[in-house]
Amino acid sequence: MKRPFAVARVPRSMMLIPLAPVLVAQAWRTVRRTPRLDPATGAEHGFVSGVDPRRGPAYRVVVIGESTAVGVGASRHAEALPGFLAEALRERLRRSVAWSVTGENGATARKITTAIVPLLNGGPAGSPANGTPNGGSDGSAPDLVVLTVGINDLIRRRPLRRWTADMSELIAVVRDRYADATVLVAGMPPVHRFPALPQPLRSVLGARARTMDRIMREAAAAGGAMHAPMDEAMARDRRLFASDGFHPSPAGYRAWAQDLAHAAVPAPGPAAAPGASPAGAAPPRAAD
């Protein structure tokens, strides 16, 4: 028996045409009503002392990306993704962790590839004798590079074909610059649950974000990086969002950092000899 109307055969772009005026109006109102939060302040590098000095030199982490990399929604970087990620890795590795962050609020994947990564100096420093980081001046290479990217490409409706090329190029550039590091690509957030977005705009952007996340995962696998999907359950807790209903709060950054640390270091390893490579520092493999 023939179906009277096969919705599955109608291109999604065609189905959205009747909604276009509503989506445009909702997007305009959302931009006007959403509070503009500043990036986090404070030092852009830090050091978390390990619980076991026999574990070897500090594990080095670089966070690169857009607004979530630079801590929009938190007051200080130490209370945003880089600081909480360092603490989570310290607990899993039981060794010191040095971290640094480089990014720009509003940056797209293309912007990160062409204007942010080329300016990096090689990552965060290790721990000198007095226990304070020196900001990468010793040229120490990172063990882990975390990329947060995608939300600005979503908002600007970057064509999916270009998004695919942008992600592939970004991963290739980072892998080339940090050949010995694990590259971890943070997955797209569950936009379909963002409190700041009204329906149907929330569902439309959420569906596109899921498609972008799939492309991101495939690009990571092809480029020798890892992909860490964001836990959708996080978005059900309003306390994990900042006041704008769009970015993570400090509690949200902490929860997200725990997931990223688990992806980078799946399980705490047995006691290692000084100088041994930690779990998660091996050549990267595609996750998910």
Side-chain angles (χ1 to χ4, degrees):
M1 178 178 178
K2 283 188 175 183
R3 296 179 181 177
F5 184 64
V7 176
R9 296 182 181 179
V10 179
R12 184 175 181 83
S13 58
M14 295 291 292
M15 295 174 64
L16 293 178
I17 289 177
L19 286 176
V22 175
L23 298 176
V24 170
Q26 287 187 333
W28 182 81
R29 285 197 300 267
T30 299
V31 169
R32 286 183 59 86
R33 295 175 180 177
T34 301
R36 297 293 183 97
L37 303 181
D38 294 325
T41 59
E44 295 182 346
H45 52 78
F47 184 82
V48 181
S49 297
V51 296
D52 186 353
R54 296 174 300 174
R55 286 281 176 161
Y59 187 78
R60 298 170 173 85
V61 181
V62 178
V63 178
I64 306 170
E66 27 83 320
S67 60
T68 53
V70 298
V72 172
S75 59
R76 299 186 303 122
H77 291 296
E79 297 172 349
L81 186 60
F84 286 136
L85 179 58
E87 291 181 2
L89 289 168
R90 186 264 307 272
E91 294 303 314
R92 300 188 71 80
L93 295 169
R94 302 190 67 79
R95 64 187 283 191
S96 299
V97 178
W99 60 266
S100 73
V101 57
T102 301
E104 181 181 314
N105 192 9
T108 62
R110 184 69 181 162
K111 178 71 174 290
I112 295 170
T113 300
T114 59
I116 295 178
V117 174
L119 299 180
L120 297 176
N121 61 4
S127 169
N130 63 5
T132 59
N134 63 17
S137 60
D138 67 350
S140 301
D143 298 289
L144 174 66
V145 177
V146 176
L147 299 175
T148 70
V149 63
I151 196 69
N152 297 301
D153 293 274
L154 169 68
I155 293 172
R156 299 178 188 185
R157 287 197 61 82
R158 182 71 163 165
L160 295 178
R161 182 176 297 179
R162 293 183 181 179
W163 167 247
T164 302
D166 290 347
M167 281 306 305
S168 297
E169 185 179 1
L170 173 59
I171 292 169
V173 167
V174 173
R175 292 284 293 125
D176 181 65
R177 190 172 191 87
Y178 301 113
D180 297 325
T182 295
V183 176
L184 181 63
V185 182
M188 291 288 292
V191 177
H192 61 289
R193 293 192 179 277
F194 275 17
L197 301 176
Q199 293 288 17
L201 180 63
R202 186 191 308 172
S203 293
V204 172
L205 290 180
R208 189 173 183 86
R210 287 192 289 268
T211 299
M212 291 174 65
D213 190 67
R214 174 183 55 79
I215 292 172
M216 179 186 289
R217 182 177 67 244
E218 293 170 353
M226 302 174 67
H227 171 266
M230 183 176 283
D231 184 4
E232 182 179 331
M234 288 176 53
R236 297 189 179 121
D237 188 344
R238 185 63 179 81
R239 295 170 299 178
L240 301 185
F241 283 91
S243 60
D244 64 356
F246 198 83
H247 291 92
S249 65
Y253 279 121
R254 184 189 291 276
W256 188 20
Q258 291 285 348
D259 285 348
L260 292 176
H262 182 273
V265 184
S277 297
R285 296 291 182 267
D288 196 32

